[in-house]
Amino acid sequence: MTITLNRLAYQFGTDNATSSVSVGLSGSQDSNSISASIQINSTDLPDGKTFDDMTKADFETLAKSILAKLTTVTA
């Protein structure tokens, strides 16, 4: 299934600095579908990166990585 970015929203604190980013992802294949909203916080960012350093593609990749971890099935 191909998962695509469908939303990117920045949240700002009282100091006008980015406090988090919400990433919307969705995909479908045959009769199966998935829709997810991933909240990226500063602790999720790669070492040495800030929200302002990240591109749309960076957020998409990071959100997909977080989604994969969240949806891993364990026995």
Side-chain angles (χ1 to χ4, degrees), residues 2-73:
T2 301
I3 307 293
T4 58
L5 177 74
N6 64 15
R7 185 176 53 80
L8 188 62
Y10 291 77
Q11 289 78 46
F12 300 99
T14 56
D15 59 356
N16 290 326
T18 306
S19 58
S20 64
V21 173
S22 295
V23 180
L25 300 170
S26 64
S28 64
Q29 181 177 344
D30 302 324
S31 62
N32 300 304
S33 65
I34 189 166
S35 178
S37 181
I38 304 295
Q39 185 81 11
I40 298 176
N41 298 301
S42 59
T43 56
D44 298 316
L45 299 177
D47 287 340
K49 292 282 190 176
T50 68
F51 288 112
D52 293 333
D53 296 330
M54 303 282 285
T55 65
K56 179 176 75 169
D58 293 334
F59 284 120
E60 180 178 9
T61 299
L62 181 55
K64 286 179 178 179
S65 173
I66 293 169
L67 177 63
K69 289 176 188 174
L70 291 172
T71 57
T72 298
V73 177

